[in-house]
């Protein structure tokens, strides 16, 4: 049975049973709750495939990322890899894509060690102001967040441990709250305190430690929850690759090299706060194994439709 995503520019993206089956497997794979944060309860069945179908028809995509760890005075390693690989894939598909962060997280992306990874991908530090209408002025059709703080019910930004982050977060989530009509939003997170998790706020409050305090109220049209936010972005790439019949998933060695570059640039593991090539407590070996699994699943799904 075939279905079609919303038509954009006179074109529709075809999905079928193989895409739905792949999405279900990938959702379960990346939702592995490796840090005991209740991730599996935050996944919205169907949102992964719907988000991929939307991005397949996108024109101009803004991807926000960057989670600053005050105790380490540096951005964490979760978020930028997913954002950069997603931007590169969209550009490869002929779309316009830009990665946006703030002045606290920008030094890591500006570091010489990151030069090969940001080459060809516009990376901009922004400081939104109320009513600045940035998305409309730049013709953005899709907004994606990969591991970016979203404000809680009391208006503050929180870490997973309940630390207030207001002094080191630019309000990029305001664009999701005040998006222009027609702009599609996607939120990727791993702990309930990120942009997009407002869609599953009840589940965050019920299942995530400190969820009542830290839960983000900022919604997105589509939410992708994963044990590590980068994995959520890779899940999106797996489905986007299946829908477009393009090779978009990074190789395991590529991700390892990018995480090592981020560590060399000063980024820290978000769980430990240490400047090591790891992501949320996951070693390079763990990270590469996840990508191998995603590659196996996308290859198997492609064979079913070939």
């Amino acid at each position: 049975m075939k279905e079609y995503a919303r038509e954009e520019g006179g074109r529709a993206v075809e999905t079928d049973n193989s895409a739905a089956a792949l999405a279900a497997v990938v959702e379960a794979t990346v939702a592995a709750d490796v840090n005991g944060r209740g991730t599996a309860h935050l996944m919205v069945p169907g949102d992964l495939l719907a988000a991929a179908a939307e991005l397949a028809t996108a024109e101009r995509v803004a991807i926000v990322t960057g989670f600053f760890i005050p105790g380490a005075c540096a951005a964490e390693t979760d978020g930028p890899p997913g954002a950069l690989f997603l931007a590169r894939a969209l550009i490869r598909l002929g779309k316009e894509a830009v990665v946006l962060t703030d002045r606290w997280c920008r030094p890591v992306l500006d570091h010489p060690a990151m030069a090969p990874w940001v080459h060809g991908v516009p990376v901009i530090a922004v400081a939104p102001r109320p009513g600045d209408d940035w998305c409309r002025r730049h013709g953005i059709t899709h907004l994606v967040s990969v591991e970016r703080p979203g404000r809680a019910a009391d208006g503050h930004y929180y870490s997973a441990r309940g630390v207030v982050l207001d002094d080191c977060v630019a309000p990029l989530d305001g664009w999701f709250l005040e998006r222009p009509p027609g702009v599609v939003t996607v939120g990727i997170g791993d702990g309930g305190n990120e942009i997009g998790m407002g869609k599953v706020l009840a589940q965050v409050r019920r299942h995530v430690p400190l969820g009542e305090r830290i839960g983000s109220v900022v919604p997105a049209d589509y939410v992708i929850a994963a044990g590590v936010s980068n994995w959520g972005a890779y899940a999106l790439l797996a489905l986007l690759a299946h829908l477009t019949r393009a090779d978009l998933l990074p190789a395991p060695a590529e991700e390892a090299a990018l995480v090592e570059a981020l560590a060399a640039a000063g980024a820290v593991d978000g769980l430990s706060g240490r400047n090591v090539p790891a992501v949320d407590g996951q070693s390079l070996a763990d990270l590469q194994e996840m990508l191998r699994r995603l590659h196996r699943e996308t290859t198997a799904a492609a064979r079913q439709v070939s």
Side-chain angles (χ1 to χ4, degrees):
M1 179 178 179
K2 295 179 179 179
E3 297 179 354
Y4 293 85
R6 186 182 63 160
E7 190 168 325
E8 288 282 350
R11 188 169 61 91
V13 171
E14 181 181 301
T15 66
D16 55 27
N17 290 338
S18 69
L22 175 62
V25 172
V26 168
E27 284 173 350
T29 299
V30 301
D33 197 358
V34 292
N35 291 314
R37 300 185 68 187
T39 307
H41 298 285
L42 309 183
M43 182 67 77
V44 179
D47 271 17
L48 174 61
L49 178 55
E54 279 286 355
L55 287 182
T57 63
E59 296 177 9
R60 297 182 180 87
V61 185
I63 306 168
V64 301
T65 193
F67 206 115
F68 193 79
I69 308 298
C73 293
E76 68 165 292
T77 51
D78 195 15
L84 289 170
F85 282 129
L86 180 57
R88 287 170 59 176
L90 291 169
I91 291 169
R92 194 175 307 159
L93 291 173
K95 305 170 189 308
E96 294 182 34
V98 59
V99 172
L100 304 172
T101 191
D102 58 25
R103 66 182 180 89
W104 292 275
C105 298
R106 180 65 188 265
V108 164
L109 294 172
D110 273 349
H111 192 279
M114 290 294 294
W117 301 101
V118 301
H119 179 71
V121 177
V123 177
I124 303 171
V126 289
R129 299 181 303 276
D132 71 357
D133 212 14
W134 191 94
C135 291
R136 188 189 299 276
R137 286 189 288 109
H138 291 273
I140 299 301
T141 61
H142 293 67
L143 269 172
V144 181
S145 175
V146 186
E147 185 67 5
R148 179 71 197 177
R151 69 194 71 178
D154 61 5
H156 294 297
Y157 299 96
Y158 290 99
S159 72
R161 294 182 174 89
V163 176
V164 176
L165 304 175
D166 297 2
D167 290 338
C168 51
V169 178
L172 304 186
D173 58 334
W175 292 340
F176 288 74
L177 291 169
E178 303 170 359
R179 59 174 177 176
V183 172
V184 175
T185 57
V186 180
I188 301 173
D190 58 22
N193 55 336
E194 304 94 355
I195 290 173
M197 292 297 164
K199 181 174 180 177
V200 290
L201 183 58
Q203 293 92 313
V204 171
R205 289 173 168 169
R206 186 177 305 121
H207 299 288
V208 174
L210 301 178
E212 286 280 355
R213 176 179 172 86
I214 70 173
S216 169
V217 297
V218 182
D221 293 318
Y222 307 107
V223 172
I224 302 169
V228 173
S229 291
N230 287 336
W231 295 350
Y234 304 155
L236 191 52
L237 283 174
L239 267 296
L240 190 58
H242 184 78
L243 295 176
T244 62
R245 306 296 189 261
D247 183 11
L248 303 177
L249 265 178
E254 279 188 286
E255 187 203 21
L258 176 48
V259 172
E260 288 178 328
L262 279 165
V268 299
D269 176 281
L271 197 65
S272 68
R274 296 171 55 220
N275 176 225
V276 293
V279 181
D280 281 355
Q282 304 301 297
S283 68
L284 292 180
D286 297 327
L287 300 173
Q288 291 181 88
E289 178 55 28
M290 176 56 74
L291 266 172
R292 290 190 190 98
R293 291 177 66 184
L294 293 177
H295 274 282
R296 288 195 295 268
E297 289 157 4
T298 54
T299 298
R303 286 178 182 146
Q304 293 178 11
V305 296
S306 61

